[in-house]
């Protein structure tokens, strides 16, 4: 009976050890990522504790945020859209040989983590580098922090930091702003069409001598004023030197 009980305990211990291995956590992350490969993964406190603990054969970037309407955190919403650009660019590039996961932990489902790390302002990013494998990194603290207030909210700023700290190069491509292009195109078309309709009046104005004479007179006065100011400054500088 004692031998059987001992074997059962050993089997349970071995099962738990395997459950929290790097490969086990990597497979769980990959499975969750497959559901929305181009968006940051949404995790809670339990998942944060599991994925962030050693050992790790992957890089884990976790954004602590508070996007609930009661918090009115505009930087949180802004960085959420920027982080989506980063994850889209990372998975579009098909990085091989360096596994990285980008996740988001909201205060509504991560109170324990916020209290544990004494988080008082958001958003900011935890980086948990690999502790084993070919990309293993040894750092002083268990994690690295990306300070958005000091280092920037833009996706390009964040990817620059990711490359420096994790060796992962990500090229962000921003979507075309169709509203801006539409407005510019409309303005150009409207200008050309207006010039076409008023071409007779425009030709008459350009052909007149008086408007051009007025422009020449104003230009001459402006040039003389600039020359006078320059001479005055030169004289003042010479007086000071003397």
């Amino acid at each position: 009976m004692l031998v059987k009980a001992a074997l059962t305990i050993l089997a349970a211990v071995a099962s738990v050890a395997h459950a929290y291995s790097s490969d086990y956590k990597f497979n769980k992350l990959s499975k969750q990522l497959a559901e929305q490969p181009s968006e940051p993964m949404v995790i809670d406190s339990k998942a944060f504790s599991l994925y962030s603990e050693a050992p790790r054969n992957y890089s884990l970037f976790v954004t602590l945020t508070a996007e609930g309407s009661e918090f009115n955190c505009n930087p949180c919403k802004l960085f959420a859209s920027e982080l989506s650009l980063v994850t889209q660019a990372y998975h579009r590039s098909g990085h091989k040989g360096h596994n990285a996961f980008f996740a988001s932990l909201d205060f509504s489902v991560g109170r324990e983590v916020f209290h544990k790390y004494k988080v008082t302002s958001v958003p900011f990013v935890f980086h948990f580098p690999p502790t084993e494998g070919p990309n293993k990194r040894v750092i002083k603290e268990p994690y690295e922090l990306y300070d958005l207030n000091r280092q920037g909210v833009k996706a390009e700023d964040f990817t620059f930091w990711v490359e420096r700290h994790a060796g992962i190069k990500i090229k962000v491509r921003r979507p075309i702003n169709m509203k801006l292009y539409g407005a510019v195109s409309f303005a150009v078309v409207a200008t050309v069409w207006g010039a076409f309709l008023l071409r007779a009046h425009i030709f008459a104005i350009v052909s007149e001598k008086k408007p051009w004479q007025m422009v020449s007179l104003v230009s001459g006065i402006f040039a003389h004023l600039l020359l006078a100011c320059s001479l005055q400054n030169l004289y003042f500088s010479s007086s000071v030197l003397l």
Side-chain angles (χ1 to χ4, degrees), residues 2 17 19 105 211:
L2 291 174
L105 176 64

mmCIF file with all atom_site columns, all heavy atoms in Angstrom, residues 2 17 19 105 211:
data_model
loop_
_atom_site.group_PDB
_atom_site.id
_atom_site.type_symbol
_atom_site.label_atom_id
_atom_site.label_alt_id
_atom_site.label_comp_id
_atom_site.label_asym_id
_atom_site.label_entity_id
_atom_site.label_seq_id
_atom_site.pdbx_PDB_ins_code
_atom_site.Cartn_x
_atom_site.Cartn_y
_atom_site.Cartn_z
_atom_site.occupancy
_atom_site.B_iso_or_equiv
_atom_site.pdbx_formal_charge
_atom_site.auth_seq_id
_atom_site.auth_comp_id
_atom_site.auth_asym_id
_atom_site.auth_atom_id
_atom_site.pdbx_PDB_model_num
ATOM 1  N N   . LEU A 1 2   ? 1.922  1.221  0.843   1.00 0.00 ? 2   LEU A N   1
ATOM 2  C CA  . LEU A 1 2   ? 2.800  2.382  0.930   1.00 0.00 ? 2   LEU A CA  1
ATOM 3  C C   . LEU A 1 2   ? 3.525  2.633  -0.389  1.00 0.00 ? 2   LEU A C   1
ATOM 4  O O   . LEU A 1 2   ? 3.701  3.777  -0.823  1.00 0.00 ? 2   LEU A O   1
ATOM 5  C CB  . LEU A 1 2   ? 3.811  2.182  2.058   1.00 0.00 ? 2   LEU A CB  1
ATOM 6  C CG  . LEU A 1 2   ? 3.250  2.198  3.491   1.00 0.00 ? 2   LEU A CG  1
ATOM 7  C CD1 . LEU A 1 2   ? 4.333  1.855  4.500   1.00 0.00 ? 2   LEU A CD1 1
ATOM 8  C CD2 . LEU A 1 2   ? 2.653  3.572  3.795   1.00 0.00 ? 2   LEU A CD2 1
ATOM 9  N N   . ALA A 1 17  ? 5.052  18.991 -12.581 1.00 0.00 ? 17  ALA A N   1
ATOM 10 C CA  . ALA A 1 17  ? 6.301  19.540 -13.121 1.00 0.00 ? 17  ALA A CA  1
ATOM 11 C C   . ALA A 1 17  ? 6.216  19.691 -14.620 1.00 0.00 ? 17  ALA A C   1
ATOM 12 O O   . ALA A 1 17  ? 6.659  20.680 -15.195 1.00 0.00 ? 17  ALA A O   1
ATOM 13 C CB  . ALA A 1 17  ? 7.464  18.626 -12.738 1.00 0.00 ? 17  ALA A CB  1
ATOM 14 N N   . ALA A 1 19  ? 3.413  20.030 -16.287 1.00 0.00 ? 19  ALA A N   1
ATOM 15 C CA  . ALA A 1 19  ? 2.355  20.998 -16.599 1.00 0.00 ? 19  ALA A CA  1
ATOM 16 C C   . ALA A 1 19  ? 2.890  22.415 -16.642 1.00 0.00 ? 19  ALA A C   1
ATOM 17 O O   . ALA A 1 19  ? 2.377  23.246 -17.373 1.00 0.00 ? 19  ALA A O   1
ATOM 18 C CB  . ALA A 1 19  ? 1.233  20.887 -15.574 1.00 0.00 ? 19  ALA A CB  1
ATOM 19 N N   . LEU A 1 105 ? -3.460 42.696 -19.996 1.00 0.00 ? 105 LEU A N   1
ATOM 20 C CA  . LEU A 1 105 ? -4.107 42.366 -18.729 1.00 0.00 ? 105 LEU A CA  1
ATOM 21 C C   . LEU A 1 105 ? -4.834 43.603 -18.221 1.00 0.00 ? 105 LEU A C   1
ATOM 22 O O   . LEU A 1 105 ? -4.205 44.590 -17.847 1.00 0.00 ? 105 LEU A O   1
ATOM 23 C CB  . LEU A 1 105 ? -3.074 41.897 -17.707 1.00 0.00 ? 105 LEU A CB  1
ATOM 24 C CG  . LEU A 1 105 ? -3.587 41.604 -16.294 1.00 0.00 ? 105 LEU A CG  1
ATOM 25 C CD1 . LEU A 1 105 ? -4.574 40.436 -16.316 1.00 0.00 ? 105 LEU A CD1 1
ATOM 26 C CD2 . LEU A 1 105 ? -2.442 41.309 -15.343 1.00 0.00 ? 105 LEU A CD2 1
ATOM 27 N N   . PRO A 1 211 ? -2.235 94.709 -61.842 1.00 0.00 ? 211 PRO A N   1
ATOM 28 C CA  . PRO A 1 211 ? -1.992 93.760 -60.739 1.00 0.00 ? 211 PRO A CA  1
ATOM 29 C C   . PRO A 1 211 ? -0.526 93.372 -60.619 1.00 0.00 ? 211 PRO A C   1
ATOM 30 O O   . PRO A 1 211 ? 0.017  93.295 -59.519 1.00 0.00 ? 211 PRO A O   1
ATOM 31 C CB  . PRO A 1 211 ? -2.871 92.555 -61.118 1.00 0.00 ? 211 PRO A CB  1
ATOM 32 C CG  . PRO A 1 211 ? -3.939 93.126 -61.970 1.00 0.00 ? 211 PRO A CG  1
ATOM 33 C CD  . PRO A 1 211 ? -3.277 94.222 -62.749 1.00 0.00 ? 211 PRO A CD  1
#
